[in-house]
Amino acid sequence: MADSTIRLLGPPAIESTGTPPPQPRGRKAWAVLAYLALQPDGTGRSRLATLLFPDAADPLGALRWNLSELRRTLTGVMLDGDPLRLALQPPWRCDAVELVGAGAIPRPDPHSLNGQLLEGLSFADCPVFDSWLADQRYRLENCAQSLLYESSVSALASGDPREAAELATRALQRDPFHTDCNAVLVLALVAIGEHRHAREHVAKCANLYRDELGMPLPPEIRRALSGAAPETDPGIPATVATVRSYLDAGGASLSAGAVDRGLDQLRLAVVLAQRTPDRHLLAESLVTLAGAMIHQAGGRGAEVADFLHRALSAEAPTATAPLEKYDGASPTTAAAYRELGYLSVQRGVPDRAAGWLERAGAAAAGFPEEQARVLAIQGMLASDTARYGDSVEALTASVRLAREARNRRQLAFSSALLGRVWLLRGELEPAAEALDRALGWILTEHWTAFEPFVAGVRGETYLAAGDLEAAAEMIDRSWVMADLAGDHCYMALAAGAEARLFLAHGDLAAAQHWVDRGMEPKPWYLWYSARLLDVAAEVAIAARSERAAEVVERLGALASRSGMREFVVRAQSHRALLGDEAAAKAVPWLAKEIDSPALTAFLAARGQL
């Protein structure tokens, strides 16, 4: 049976290895196909007809005609039901579905990624669909960039630096300022032995960042050129006992707050583990080091991703344990997948994050404590993408497992995220209860590093309830602790909360001051940036600032690229207030898909529902 592919990236086309297939007639047929391909849960026929045929005398009839046109050209593809769903079965594939899909579906060849969704087609006569298409183009471009980056890191970790260099170069053609891709390219060139080329690329990057952005060269790129494994005393034997001793010492140092010393000890554990034949020990050492860099030192770049991919390579089946007989159940494998998912959540690539976390969940089977960690990150992801019901379900399960394991830090983390969900939905009583429980566990554990997050969200809960005095006390504490720790993410969170507090007082100048302070740290976790831009837009609109449209466009682009559906709605709401009629039409359409009483009340107060 000939392979058949639906190409939605670039100029749309149906491709087949056999006889050239017929093509759908008309751009609306392609629009129907693209919309259904990217709505895996389907959509109501009336809703889709209204979206794509708003001016037709018989919108449902127009939809039926286009569906029959698709069935004529897509023999064997299911297009049925109400809600209407697209079901692909072999030999059919779709490049856009594979790019955003999670789980064990075929992955697109990263070398083949090229072009925008429905490139060359425009839909000015369907303003709401045109808005949806713009959002999806941002989303798929972000997915493609992330897939190229991840594939380059994976190639480097598996010992193929030439492939890593080629993929990193492709990624940099899309975004020359992608720090991590630049670092991977330098690491790959060094591994190949092209040291002069690596130095030239670093110099080129330094000029690019200085001339175009007015910024110094990111340290990750410079470290990629000069980084080397730490030297060990040749007298230290490379045994399981010595590696475990360094792992234990590193953990103790980190617990005592000696982060640099702890990381050095964990790096030595990795070096020693590499000299042993124990592949699992190497994987465990790499995951432990990567986790410490992420959660203790704010590591988010290519070096951390490389460690995690190397750990997965070390844990992978060997010739004596073929892949088809390997169930993957391992807390070390689960932790590696979970951390890759966590990094993707923070980078704002939810489709890639979902895939990593699905694998993490499968690998964590039978290990309740690791399952609690995976569920917490899945809950975070669902919250960021405004799937609040899924988020509550995952976080509630995480809390239960953490309680059974008596892991109070995990209890604090999962409960705090649950409190954030309730706050975002406007359900203040359960939000306060969850956050107060989290604060209690933080106090018991002396976990001051996490307190700025919980205090900031608790302060916003007081603010939403109208208790400005209690809100100020908690929000001020959040800012001071985040600032003292130098945590960019929590500084952005606390600054945004301060801006909301002063906006509630009617002090627009003070609110703008806090917006500006929050913009400085540039947090790794992009949800914080989006939330800060949202309040920045509110402040700018209230102040009738000339910068209002610019701020709103920044929010809209970030939200669309990162799949943050509520912030997409909020950006459209801000555009509507600024006079954008197409945005005003899109707001109620997009908001209908999000179950949030708080969002509904916000839009109703603006007269947009």
Side-chain angles (χ1 to χ4, degrees), residues 358-421:
E358 184 172 308
R359 294 173 194 160
F367 305 100
E369 198 160 0
E370 183 55 39
Q371 286 177 313
R373 297 187 184 103
V374 174
L375 284 164
I377 308 305
Q378 288 176 323
M380 176 189 289
L381 172 62
S383 174
D384 288 359
T385 53
R387 290 172 171 82
Y388 296 125
D390 293 342
S391 182
V392 169
E393 182 179 348
L395 292 169
T396 301
S398 177
V399 167
R400 177 179 56 79
L401 289 169
R403 183 178 290 111
E404 291 172 0
R406 299 184 180 180
N407 186 331
R408 288 183 294 205
R409 290 202 173 195
Q410 188 62 52
L411 271 170
F413 184 78
S414 300
S415 296
L417 289 177
L418 190 55
R420 183 183 73 160
V421 176

Side-chain angles (χ1 to χ4, degrees), residues 432-482:
E433 291 174 356
L435 292 164
D436 287 341
R437 285 195 298 269
L439 285 169
W441 285 312
I442 285 171
L443 181 63
T444 301
E445 286 290 302
H446 307 288
W447 194 15
T448 56
F450 188 53
E451 188 174 350
F453 172 83
V454 188
V457 179
R458 184 66 178 98
E460 290 208 46
T461 306
Y462 279 121
L463 178 60
D467 189 343
L468 302 190
E469 184 176 345
E473 182 178 340
M474 294 297 290
I475 292 170
D476 288 348
R477 180 171 178 80
S478 173
W479 169 260
V480 170
M481 295 187 71

Side-chain angles (χ1 to χ4, degrees), residues 263-322:
L263 291 177
D264 286 343
Q265 290 165 333
L266 294 179
R267 287 181 187 276
L268 287 170
V270 168
V271 171
L272 291 170
Q274 288 172 329
R275 298 177 187 168
T276 74
D278 191 331
R279 291 163 57 87
H280 174 75
L281 182 64
L282 173 59
E284 184 182 345
S285 301
L286 286 163
V287 170
T288 302
L289 173 58
M293 292 178 69
I294 293 168
H295 301 291
Q296 303 283 341
R300 298 292 186 275
E303 184 183 23
V304 170
D306 179 50
F307 289 152
L308 293 169
H309 280 277
R310 283 167 56 192
L312 290 170
S313 295
E315 280 281 271
T318 64
T320 58

